[in-house]
Amino acid sequence: MSSHRRYLFVDSFVRRVWMAVVRWSAVWSLGAALPIASTAVRAETPATVEYSRDVRPLLERRCASCHGAEKQKGGFRVDSAAAVLRGGEAHAPAVKPGDSAHSPLIQVVEGVIPDLRMPAKGEPLSTAEIALLRAWIEQGATVPVESAAEADPIRSHWAFNPVRRPKVPVTALNRGDSAVNPVDAFVAASLTEKHLTPSPEADRVTLIRRVYFVMLGLPPSPEEVATYLADSKPEAFERLVDRVLADARYGERWGRHWLDVVRFAESNGFETNRERLSAWRFRDYVIAAFNQDKPFDQFVREQIAGDSLGADVATGFLVGGPVDIVGSPDPTLTLQQRADELDDMVSTTGTAFLGLTLGCARCHSHKFDPISHREYYAMTALFAGVRHGERALPRAEGQMATLRRLDREIAVLETNLVPFLERQAPVTALRKPPSVTFGRNIDEFKPVVARWVRFTVLATTGAEPCLDELEVWSGDKNIGLASRGARASASGTIAGFPMHRVEHLNDGQVGNEHSWISNESGKGWAQIELAKPERVTRIVWGRDQQGVFRDRLPTDYRIEVANEPGQWRRVADSTEREPFAGGPQVAVAPTYRFDGVLESRAAEGRAWLARLDLIRSERKAAANSEMVYAGTFVNPTTAFRLHRGDPMQRRELVEPGMLALFNPMTLATNAPEADRRLALARWITDPAHPLTSRVIVNRIWQHQFGAGLVSTPNDFGKNGARPSHSELLDWLAADLVSHGWSLKHLQRLILTSRTWRQSSAPRADGLAADAGARLLWRFPPRRVEAEAIRDTILAVSGNLDLTTGGPSFYLHEVDRENVYHYQPKDRFGPAESRRMVYAFKVRMEQDGIFGAFDCPDGSLVAPKRSASTTPLQALNLFNSQFMLDQSEVFAARLRREGGKSAEGQVRRAWILSYNREPDRRERGDAIAFVASQGVPALCRAILNSSELVFVP
């Protein structure tokens, strides 16, 4: 670009910016500096104008489609009387009672302001309509008492009001028939208002293909179709629905929908994009939850606070989003990264469970919904102790029983081997026992009778001391176990961590996740009260006998016993050991000598030692815990309101708390970490909560019909869409709660309705009145999603592996450097033939073939997928090596199952692909095509056909 043209460009740009500033300044001062509206054309003013009867319907009908003109520069909202009278951040009140000429509302509807008009789209208001608004303003712009609810930002919005179970409407469909499905009654009532009628029921083959695609994401097999067609008894379709709901593939299909909602993926995203190799356990948890019909309220609670509810894997929801693991010495960047992590948790919780865009209140109070800036940070305080990362899963009872059995055998063998311990003389030359270790430590002493044993910590390697088990041994028995009647107590316990409790001191389980941590830095005591006075010979203790954690180790301690309360007697302490030198300490293995004794006795000792080595190896292997990427939990830091969302601009301290729109609740600033999330989980799943049941009902409806009753599934706020059938939504929400939050009950109710079973064929009257079928005068047909397309191709070709669960398979080759790179595979074998829900989900990279079919990558929540049609999709399906391979596999299946004749192979292809016979023309064309191009070419064409992956 020449310098002359560059200056012209800059000059033009500056002029445009200046004109925009001038227009913005004029709009900002609306009502104070605007020209008086034209009065040249006036319609006759009505004698009395009422807001509810005359003004509100006009504003809602003609001006409120985009919240007035607020989405334009300097516009304002007119969707409620309060908004009109109150004004907003960029304008004065829209009306000046008694002065219509200077009211911004009139200025805008008359087009006085350049580049600002209302309605934003469509024809402008007529002279008569403007005159009506003028008259209302001139008469004082009064709002009747019954409209005062508009001033309440909560009561004025439908979604924030309690769910009420409305009466089922009576229509010609259900008059005198109480057995009619309520879904049909509500839909019929809406259709009647528009002078429409439902479509007739679809044929049986269409219905079984529809129910399989919608519920399982796969086509039915020819055998499954034959079974259904052969069932001539009443309620055959209801029995089909029951079989489908009991199918394990149901959880895979509907689990995938939920994973979209909660932005699940198995890599970190950002620059390094490293793998999360244990995140698949959360995916399997979701699939199992749908298959088990886990009550939805329990499903929600477990995902927020599963570590407190016996469902540790479920908290994978909290840390399912992307995370930037690149550290920095810059405190600003570090704080910003942490703020982004918390925002992801808060925002996803809001959209997934409540249908609220909580993230919009991060920098300022929400522009549309009653969510203040402070409330947003009260919500972040609930998650302040949650960190990204893996943690060990609690051991199963069978594993714990194995460990207890091995520990008992180790103790017996160690006791048996005591006579063979190498002993040195004289006493002054005896070496002290080795230093304390992070693993298993033994303190032996002369036998003493005691009822109480106390372990007092005087110093640690840092932070509060931790003990994973405090064992009290008498001979070959651990008499300090709770199962033997012993009771544990302590000086105090760190708050907020269910895995660190005093009960873990003697529960027989070792490892960090079953341990006690003191509430005092560097000190504290733990005590075991035995069921009765016992002869005690040694104490066994450890910080983490699984060998994972190397911190919080007691280095200075004493062990005391008492037979009467308060009469303590020291029996061992850390001074009797080698001093702790720092770093990972390894216990010195004792040396056993078998000389100087009878050979038979020596042989017995050597056998015991060999057995001891073997059992210790077995125990080490049995102690390994499975890991899951489900977050770690630390003591929450203090939360503050961040001015404009900037972590460097802290303002006042904020207590953890819930939103004011329903049963507001505030917790103490020192509330334990787990208690915070548990309180949130219970608040969200309160049966009276106005949003939770509505939101999940809407999600289920969306995947049944292709669109939700509310078309903005993640936004039930004032900026979202209103429901197409509001009473039906509330009836279903109330019914869901009353049936124990059973999603399968809800699914069955919808599936067995006449509305769901009606034909998808278009009708002229329906298309004219409701082209998108939002009123459900027909079943809305649609293409299935990327995963179902791939699964269907594999199923029809006979190549689908239905193995469930377990680690993910890869559709990418991975270059594992500091920054991970994922290259889409172009060759696929048996390992890649499982359902696509089990494919390793990579952020920022798509599968090379099916990613083009609007497949989300997990970087953001995906409440609903778009359905594009692009050349790249066609090219991928037609030319990819995957499709060429599947065409060959499909052709081999046709030769195997259809016989040697082209006619038999064509017939089998249609039955496998479309669950129907080919018509005469299709048969003739296909046979001719096979003769000229071969069976694989026909298979390739079929696998690319729309009918194969279409919900009819």
Side-chain angles (χ1 to χ4, degrees):
M1 180 185 294
S2 69
S3 59
H4 174 68
R5 292 182 61 192
R6 181 162 58 249
Y7 289 137
L8 285 176
F9 172 80
V10 172
D11 181 62
S12 175
F13 174 77
V14 170
R15 282 204 308 271
R16 289 199 302 273
V17 171
W18 174 249
M19 291 304 296
V21 170
V22 171
R23 285 196 298 270
W24 178 261
S25 299
V27 169
W28 184 275
S29 57
L30 274 173
L34 288 176
I36 298 176
S38 171
T39 57
V41 181
R42 293 282 183 91
E44 183 177 349
T45 303
T48 302
V49 181
E50 295 182 5
Y51 172 78
S52 300
R53 183 192 65 195
D54 304 313
V55 177
R56 180 173 180 173
L58 172 61
L59 294 177
E60 289 181 344
R61 184 176 69 254
R62 301 284 281 116
C63 302
S65 61
C66 63
H67 297 296
E70 190 163 37
K71 292 186 178 179
Q72 306 176 64
K73 294 185 180 70
F76 43 77
R77 294 174 60 184
V78 294
D79 54 338
S80 73
V84 172
L85 298 173
R86 181 177 62 246
E89 293 189 3
H91 60 83
V95 301
K96 292 188 173 183
D99 188 359
S100 62
H102 289 90
S103 291
L105 177 61
I106 302 301
Q107 309 288 342
V108 174
V109 297
E110 287 197 340
V112 172
I113 310 301
D115 298 330
L116 185 61
R117 63 189 296 265
M118 184 187 294
K121 298 179 181 179
E123 293 296 321
L125 268 63
S126 67
T127 303
E129 289 172 327
I130 294 174
L132 189 69
L133 294 177
R134 281 185 172 280
W136 174 62
I137 296 171
E138 293 293 343
Q139 294 172 16
T142 57
V143 178
V145 175
E146 59 267 22
S147 294
E150 291 182 341
D152 184 335
I154 296 176
R155 289 194 299 132
S156 63
H157 185 58
W158 67 271
F160 303 151
N161 283 293
V163 174
R164 307 292 185 195
R165 189 168 189 156
K167 291 184 178 179
V168 177
V170 177
T171 66
L173 177 70
N174 65 334
R175 186 172 288 109
D177 184 0
S178 60
V180 168
N181 191 313
V183 171
D184 297 326
F186 283 105
V187 171
S190 296
L191 290 175
T192 301
E193 291 180 5
K194 298 294 183 180
H195 307 291
L196 291 172
T197 58
S199 295
E201 184 168 310
D203 64 83
R204 278 196 161 196
V205 172
T206 295
L207 283 179
I208 189 172
R209 281 181 68 82
R210 181 186 298 172
V211 77
Y212 266 68
F213 274 129
V214 170
M215 301 305 295
L216 305 181
L218 288 167
S221 68
E223 295 73 23
E224 289 165 329
V225 173
T227 299
Y228 174 53
L229 295 180
D231 188 353
S232 58
K233 297 179 182 178
E235 298 186 343
F237 183 74
E238 285 76 3
R239 284 189 291 277
L240 172 66
V241 168
D242 291 337
R243 289 196 297 272
V244 166
L245 289 173
D247 195 307
R249 295 171 291 179
Y250 162 78
E252 295 169 338
R253 171 68 165 163
W254 287 82
R256 178 66 262 172
H257 294 325
W258 185 253
L259 295 175
D260 280 3
V261 170
V262 300
R263 48 55 174 130
F264 170 80
E266 296 172 85
S267 69
N268 286 336
F270 287 93
E271 178 184 356
T272 57
N273 205 19
R274 293 184 181 178
E275 299 161 296
R276 298 175 179 175
L277 295 176
S278 60
W280 59 268
R281 298 185 193 279
F282 175 74
R283 177 205 63 210
D284 285 2
Y285 159 81
V286 170
I287 292 171
F290 277 94
N291 277 332
Q292 297 163 5
D293 196 22
K294 180 169 290 189
F296 184 72
D297 60 338
Q298 180 183 344
F299 185 52
V300 173
R301 287 193 294 271
E302 289 179 352
Q303 289 176 84
I304 297 173
D307 53 309
S308 298
L309 301 171
D312 283 73
V313 174
T315 59
F317 159 80
L318 299 173
V319 292
V323 62
D324 187 357
I325 64 171
V326 178
S328 169
D330 181 359
T332 301
L333 178 58
T334 301
L335 289 172
Q336 188 63 56
Q337 288 174 322
R338 180 57 181 161
D340 290 343
E341 291 174 18
L342 290 172
D343 180 68
D344 171 71
M345 296 176 200
V346 170
S347 297
T348 306
T349 299
T351 55
F353 304 127
L354 304 174
L356 290 177
T357 54
L358 297 182
C360 292
R362 180 179 180 179
C363 301
H364 48 69
S365 293
H366 204 291
K367 295 296 185 182
F368 299 102
D369 298 333
I371 304 170
S372 70
H373 195 207
R374 183 184 178 89
E375 283 180 299
Y376 170 86
Y377 286 99
M379 291 288 286
T380 67
L382 297 170
F383 299 102
V386 182
R387 300 280 176 167
H388 274 263
E390 284 188 315
R391 71 174 187 271
L393 288 172
R395 297 188 181 98
E397 180 54 37
Q399 185 181 13
M400 290 310 306
T402 298
L403 290 174
R404 287 192 290 269
R405 175 180 59 79
L406 294 174
D407 283 340
R408 287 194 296 270
E409 188 169 356
I410 288 172
V412 171
L413 291 168
E414 288 177 340
T415 301
N416 291 345
L417 286 166
V418 167
F420 300 101
L421 279 170
E422 183 179 38
R423 302 185 185 277
Q424 300 178 11
V427 175
T428 55
L430 287 177
R431 185 178 62 185
K432 288 185 177 182
S435 169
V436 293
T437 75
F438 291 96
R440 187 177 177 86
N441 298 283
I442 302 175
D443 282 279
E444 293 188 280
F445 41 81
K446 291 181 180 180
V448 58
V449 176
R451 177 74 184 272
W452 288 271
V453 175
R454 176 177 287 187
F455 188 101
T456 301
V457 181
L458 304 172
T460 70
T461 55
E464 302 88 346
C466 176
L467 297 176
D468 68 349
E469 196 75 3
L470 184 57
E471 304 172 14
V472 181
W473 286 84
S474 178
D476 63 351
K477 294 180 181 180
N478 178 6
I479 56 176
L481 288 168
S483 58
R484 294 182 181 272
R487 189 176 69 87
S489 59
S491 56
T493 303
I494 192 170
F497 298 91
M499 70 173 67
H500 303 305
R501 296 201 297 258
V502 70
E503 306 94 88
H504 292 327
L505 282 166
N506 63 339
D507 63 356
Q509 303 185 63
V510 297
N512 184 68
E513 70 269 22
H514 288 278
S515 63
W516 164 80
I517 294 181
S518 171
N519 64 339
E520 298 178 274
S521 180
K523 60 183 179 179
W525 56 259
Q527 180 176 299
I528 303 295
E529 180 184 355
L530 304 175
K532 64 181 189 300
E534 297 270 10
R535 184 173 180 269
V536 180
T537 57
R538 67 183 181 276
I539 302 298
V540 179
W541 60 276
R543 185 283 176 242
D544 179 12
Q545 297 178 57
Q546 291 181 0
V548 177
F549 288 84
R550 296 184 177 277
D551 61 357
R552 304 178 183 274
L553 174 66
T555 56
D556 187 4
Y557 65 88
R558 66 173 180 265
I559 300 174
E560 300 167 294
V561 298
N563 206 20
E564 297 292 337
Q567 298 180 8
W568 295 107
R569 171 187 172 191
R570 183 182 304 211
V571 292
D573 60 44
S574 53
T575 63
E576 299 170 4
R577 292 180 175 272
E578 292 290 339
F580 181 77
Q585 300 296 305
V586 179
V588 177
T591 301
Y592 298 99
R593 298 184 62 91
F594 301 103
D595 52 349
V597 296
L598 293 174
E599 181 55 33
S600 59
R601 180 69 172 157
E604 185 179 38
R606 284 190 287 268
W608 283 334
L609 181 58
R611 178 65 178 170
L612 179 62
D613 291 339
L614 176 63
I615 296 301
R616 282 174 172 165
S617 296
E618 286 186 21
R619 194 195 186 287
K620 183 177 180 180
N624 291 332
S625 292
E626 295 179 335
M627 304 296 289
V628 60
Y629 196 94
T632 60
F633 308 109
V634 300
N635 242 353
T637 55
T638 304
F640 299 89
R641 184 176 65 83
L642 304 182
H643 182 57
R644 297 182 177 177
D646 184 352
M648 300 303 290
Q649 297 193 56
R650 288 182 173 181
R651 294 299 188 260
E652 71 276 10
L653 182 147
V654 177
E655 303 87 354
M658 322 306 171
L659 303 179
L661 60 82
F662 168 74
N663 192 21
M665 181 188 309
T666 299
L667 306 178
T669 54
N670 63 346
E673 193 282 325
D675 290 358
R676 300 181 184 207
R677 290 181 289 111
L678 198 56
L680 173 64
R682 289 168 176 161
W683 180 79
I684 290 175
T685 56
D686 187 320
H689 202 294
L691 289 166
T692 312
S693 58
R694 283 178 172 133
V695 169
I696 187 56
V697 163
N698 189 64
R699 294 195 193 282
I700 297 295
W701 189 275
Q702 170 188 320
H703 294 298
Q704 289 283 7
F705 290 98
L709 295 168
V710 177
S711 61
T712 52
N714 270 16
D715 190 358
F716 272 49
K718 295 185 178 181
N719 205 30
R722 292 187 66 85
S724 59
H725 300 73
S726 57
E727 289 193 329
L728 173 58
L729 176 62
D730 273 18
W731 193 96
L732 291 173
D735 187 65
L736 173 69
V737 175
S738 68
H739 282 85
W741 297 83
S742 168
L743 295 184
K744 284 190 177 182
H745 164 79
L746 174 63
Q747 299 269 33
R748 193 180 193 280
L749 183 68
I750 297 172
L751 289 169
T752 55
S753 67
R754 287 179 56 185
T755 302
W756 197 88
R757 290 188 287 179
Q758 62 187 327
S759 169
S760 63
R763 300 196 326 254
D765 62 331
L767 292 174
D770 179 28
R774 291 285 288 145
L775 297 177
L776 298 171
W777 53 271
R778 67 163 177 160
F779 182 86
R782 62 188 185 276
R783 186 186 72 199
V784 296
E785 305 85 2
E787 294 86 351
I789 294 174
R790 185 182 192 272
D791 294 348
T792 295
I793 291 169
L794 288 170
V796 169
S797 68
N799 209 22
L800 181 62
D801 178 359
L802 289 173
T803 301
T804 61
S808 303
F809 70 90
Y810 282 76
L811 293 174
H812 297 81
E813 299 289 354
V814 187
D815 297 328
R816 295 178 176 89
E817 302 172 353
N818 180 50
V819 174
Y820 280 30
H821 301 282
Y822 301 84
Q823 307 299 331
K825 289 183 177 180
D826 54 12
R827 292 287 178 178
F828 305 92
E832 293 83 26
S833 295
R834 298 174 68 198
R835 296 200 71 175
M836 196 172 173
V837 70
Y838 296 115
F840 191 90
K841 190 71 175 174
V842 182
R843 284 192 166 92
M844 305 190 301
E845 293 288 348
Q846 289 286 10
D847 162 53
I849 303 168
F850 298 95
F853 287 86
D854 312 294
C855 202
D857 77 345
S859 295
L860 298 171
V861 296
K864 61 180 180 180
R865 298 190 186 184
S866 55
S868 64
T869 301
T870 68
L872 184 59
Q873 294 169 351
L875 291 170
N876 283 349
L877 283 187
F878 198 72
N879 295 324
S880 67
Q881 188 62 47
F882 174 83
M883 292 298 289
L884 295 175
D885 292 345
Q886 298 312 310
S887 298
E888 292 290 348
V889 174
F890 190 17
R893 182 181 188 182
L894 294 183
R895 296 187 188 102
R896 190 170 59 250
E897 299 179 10
K900 296 182 179 180
S901 70
E903 182 174 358
Q905 293 169 1
V906 167
R907 180 175 179 273
R908 188 61 179 168
W910 254 250
I911 291 175
L912 287 170
S913 304
Y914 311 130
N915 301 118
R916 64 176 179 84
E917 297 275 355
D919 62 30
R920 185 171 63 180
R921 180 177 177 180
E922 289 171 332
R923 184 183 298 109
D925 289 347
I927 291 173
F929 186 79
V930 168
S932 63
Q933 303 295 326
V935 178
L938 174 66
C939 293
R940 188 177 174 193
I942 290 173
L943 295 180
N944 275 270
S945 62
S946 296
E947 186 179 352
L948 180 73
V949 291
F950 200 70
V951 181

